[in-house]
């Protein structure tokens, strides 16, 4: 872990594994949550979802998987070989569930109990299942697990929790080539009306636990889906106590969604079943993942224009444009008082993903600058320079709000400041 003078560290994880452990009582025996014993299929009301309850969810899905993994084609019947069934227990993986006060819940590390094997063929065909189809089957298994979890998270004070209550999804794929097929099933599960914000990233082949192709995290707010779809005039007819309290609070809406599907000059249009932002109680904002798209053209920003910093690589401009797009979405949010939703400096946290293409681009530019035509070794790979540049660009973007003037999106500010010169890009960084 490299730590700077300001106390900010960069943690690089070279290799990791997931291991589940249960707490032990004073006698050394494994224990669960006492309030959950004997509940059977009743709702879990504690703040920690017990390992036993979670294992029941995985067992339920695994038993179904022993006979057949879900398929993207309802007419396709696929039988799991004996060798795969024997590895079910060894390959089980329990998702992490954290229930917080106010009906907020975080579910992470949702993966298929079985890594779909693409070496077996269908009953009526000799063709092997390709990687994309295997990824789809894993995703469908994940949605089965998630649906079972949602049904067991329902308490006496809330109505049935549904996918409409999910406000944010972080989707990990082993290959970006799987995205198109998975996205169709993602849309069927979450819908297209007021969907959750989403961040989707390809992490590389066999980078996910157990060689899986898909992993998903999500955050949900109980009854937020019904809240969005319940008219204020129907407030008195609502029998749900949690929803009643939320509807009665006219100062802080339980949930608001920014879902723009038309071209604009301030932020990229939603090109899939996701929203730009989901806001909880006028305070906590979940932004969708951003890439370096120019809103007007929906094309990635490039370094061949006159308006951008000379000598900057494409990935550097894309990183800054991503921050700029995030700032524009925040500016487009309204908290109900005519004031913009926030600035980048208000962010509690964010993730920046850099591709190998960024490293290659930086490596080629450094070799070209040195005039070195010889072979490269590990010491020539500019890891440190990549982290340093990404850190400098991100810090600058946050400090100047990505070059976005507050209130400009809503027309509250018509003046242009010097932050907007060169689209807010500081040429001294490149």
């Amino acid at each position: 872990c490299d730590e700077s003078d300001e106390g900010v560290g960069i943690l690089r994880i070279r290799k990791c594994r997931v291991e589940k452990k249960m707490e032990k009582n004073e006698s050394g025996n494994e224990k669960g949550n006492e309030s959950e014993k004997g509940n059977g299929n009743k709702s879990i009301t504690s703040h920690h979802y017990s390992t036993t309850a979670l294992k029941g969810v995985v067992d339920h899905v695994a038993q179904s998987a022993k006979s057949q993994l879900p398929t993207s084609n309802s007419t396709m019947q696929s039988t799991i070989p004996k060798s795969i069934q024997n590895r079910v227990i060894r390959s089980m993986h329990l998702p992490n569930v954290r229930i917080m006060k106010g009906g907020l819940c975080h579910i992470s590390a949702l993966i298929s109990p079985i890594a779909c094997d693409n070496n077996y063929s269908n009953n009526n065909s000799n063709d092997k299942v390709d990687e994309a189809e295997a990824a789809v089957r894993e995703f469908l298994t994940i949605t089965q697990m998630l649906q079972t979890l949602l049904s067991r998270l329902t308490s006496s004070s809330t109505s049935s929790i549904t996918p409409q209550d999910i406000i944010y999804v972080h989707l990990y794929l082993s290959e970006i080539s799987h995205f198109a097929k998975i996205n169709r099933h993602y849309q069927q599960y979450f819908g297209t009306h007021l969907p959750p914000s989403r961040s989707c990233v390809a992490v590389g082949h066999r980078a996910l636990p157990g060689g899986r192709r898909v992993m998903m995290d999500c955050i949900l707010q109980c009854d937020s889906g019904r809240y969005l779809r319940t008219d204020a005039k129907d407030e008195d007819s609502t029998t749900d106590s949690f929803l009643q309290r939320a509807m009665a609070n006219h100062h802080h809406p339980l949930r608001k969604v920014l879902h723009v599907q038309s071209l604009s000059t301030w932020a990229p249009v939603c090109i899939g079943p996701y929203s730009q932002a989901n806001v909880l109680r006028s305070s906590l904002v979940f932004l969708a993942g951003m890439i370096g798209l120019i809103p007007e053209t929906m094309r990635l920003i490039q370094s061949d224009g006159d308006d951008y910093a000379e000598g900057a690589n494409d990935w550097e401009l894309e990183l800054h444009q991503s921050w700029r797009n995030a700032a524009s979405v925040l500016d487009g949010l309204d908290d109900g008082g005519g004031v913009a939703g926030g600035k980048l400096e208000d962010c509690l946290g964010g993730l920046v993903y850099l591709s190998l293409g960024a490293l290659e681009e930086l490596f080629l530019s450094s070799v070209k600058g040195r005039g070195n035509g010889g072979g490269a070794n590990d010491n020539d790979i500019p890891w440190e320079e990549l982290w340093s540049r990404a850190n400098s660009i991100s810090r600058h973007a946050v400090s100047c709000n990505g070059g976005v003037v507050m209130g400009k999106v809503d027309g509250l500010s018509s003046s242009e400041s010097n932050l907007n010169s060169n689209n807010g890009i500081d040429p001294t960084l490149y």
Side-chain angles (χ1 to χ4, degrees):
C1 181
D2 301 329
E3 187 171 328
S4 66
D5 294 336
E6 298 180 0
V8 179
I10 300 176
L11 179 63
R12 301 173 189 168
I13 302 176
R14 302 294 187 184
K15 186 178 181 180
C16 65
R17 66 172 184 164
V18 179
E19 182 176 345
K20 276 290 178 183
K21 294 183 178 180
M22 294 185 63
E23 297 181 2
K24 294 185 177 180
N25 54 27
E26 295 180 356
S27 61
N29 297 323
E30 293 182 347
K31 65 177 183 179
N33 194 311
E34 296 296 332
S35 64
E36 295 165 0
K37 292 181 178 180
N39 279 352
N41 292 328
K42 295 182 180 179
S43 61
I44 305 300
T45 57
S46 66
H47 288 260
H48 293 279
Y49 209 58
S50 71
T51 303
T52 303
L54 288 176
K55 190 174 184 298
V57 175
V58 178
D59 286 340
H60 172 75
V61 178
Q63 289 296 330
S64 300
K66 284 183 178 181
S67 59
Q68 177 181 335
L69 273 171
T71 65
S72 59
N73 188 340
S74 59
T75 61
M76 184 185 300
Q77 300 294 326
S78 303
T79 303
I80 307 300
K82 192 72 175 178
S83 59
I84 300 297
Q85 297 181 25
N86 293 336
R87 296 203 300 268
V88 169
I89 302 301
R90 293 202 306 268
S91 62
M92 273 189 180
H93 179 85
L94 300 179
N96 301 302
V97 181
R98 172 67 176 172
I99 305 174
M100 292 160 276
K101 292 183 178 180
L104 195 63
C105 179
H106 183 213
I107 304 174
S108 62
L110 273 166
I111 61 175
S112 172
I114 303 173
C116 182
D117 193 342
N118 62 348
N119 291 324
Y120 66 91
S121 59
N122 303 322
N123 293 339
N124 300 325
S125 172
N126 293 324
D127 298 331
K128 292 183 179 180
V129 178
D130 61 17
E131 281 289 306
E133 180 64 27
V136 167
R137 296 185 181 190
E138 290 187 17
F139 176 76
L140 293 176
T141 304
I142 289 175
T143 57
Q144 281 189 3
M145 293 180 61
L146 179 57
Q147 196 63 37
T148 305
L149 276 173
L150 296 183
S151 66
R152 298 194 178 191
L153 288 174
T154 301
S155 66
S156 58
S157 62
T158 62
S159 59
S160 298
I161 300 177
T162 70
Q164 294 179 345
D165 296 320
I166 297 176
I167 59 177
Y168 181 78
V169 172
H170 202 153
L171 188 63
Y172 305 86
L173 305 178
S174 61
E175 305 288 344
I176 198 61
S177 58
H178 304 162
F179 176 76
K181 286 188 175 181
I182 289 179
N183 198 46
R184 291 197 292 269
H185 298 280
Y186 180 97
Q187 179 173 321
Q188 292 176 2
Y189 185 75
F190 289 101
T192 57
H193 179 57
L194 304 175
S197 303
R198 181 181 70 183
S199 176
C200 181
V201 60
V203 295
H205 184 60
R206 301 194 69 80
L208 295 176
R212 267 65 164 199
R213 300 165 183 84
V214 185
M215 186 171 75
M216 188 168 73
D217 304 337
C218 62
I219 299 175
L220 66 91
Q221 171 62 54
C222 295
D223 277 336
S224 63
R226 288 185 63 202
Y227 177 87
L228 290 174
R229 295 161 177 83
T230 301
D231 198 326
K233 63 183 180 182
D234 298 330
E235 175 184 336
D236 295 336
S237 63
T238 302
T239 58
D240 187 279
S241 58
F242 188 91
L243 185 58
Q244 276 184 341
R245 294 194 298 269
M247 297 293 293
N249 187 345
H250 302 292
H251 300 287
H252 300 290
L254 178 62
R255 177 181 174 187
K256 294 179 68 175
V257 176
L258 179 64
H259 187 209
V260 180
Q261 296 180 286
S262 58
L263 284 174
S264 67
T265 59
W266 55 278
V269 61
C270 287
I271 54 177
Y274 65 93
S275 299
Q276 281 99 339
N278 273 258
V279 187
L280 287 183
R281 297 181 173 89
S282 303
S283 58
L284 192 58
V285 181
F286 294 90
L287 285 178
M290 303 288 173
I291 59 177
L293 291 172
I294 301 175
E296 295 90 340
T297 62
M298 289 299 291
R299 294 182 179 179
L300 288 173
I301 190 172
Q302 296 181 340
S303 58
D304 57 358
D306 297 332
D307 296 333
Y308 309 116
E310 183 178 356
N313 293 314
D314 286 343
W315 73 268
E316 295 172 303
L317 296 177
E318 289 179 21
L319 176 56
H320 188 278
Q321 184 66 37
S322 298
W323 283 110
R324 182 180 177 86
N325 291 338
S328 296
V329 172
L330 288 176
D331 190 32
L333 293 172
D334 185 84
D335 64 358
V339 181
K343 301 174 65 175
L344 291 179
E345 63 183 17
D346 300 321
C347 290
L348 298 178
L351 287 173
V352 175
Y353 293 99
L354 302 173
S355 68
L356 285 176
L359 184 64
E360 294 171 357
E361 191 174 355
L362 188 60
F363 173 73
L364 292 176
S365 62
S366 62
V367 170
K368 183 179 179 181
R370 295 196 307 265
N372 182 10
N377 53 53
D378 291 341
N379 295 328
D380 294 327
I381 300 178
W383 293 103
E384 297 295 336
E385 187 177 359
L386 179 69
W387 298 121
S388 177
R389 288 203 185 188
N391 181 55
S392 298
I393 294 170
S394 297
R395 286 179 177 270
H396 171 70
V398 171
S399 66
C400 71
N401 201 42
V404 175
V405 180
M406 293 293 292
K408 183 186 177 190
V409 171
D410 295 322
L412 301 178
S413 173
S414 58
S415 61
E416 293 286 342
S417 71
N418 56 1
L419 292 179
N420 270 349
S421 60
N422 292 326
N423 287 310
I425 298 175
D426 184 359
T428 62
L429 294 175
Y430 309 99

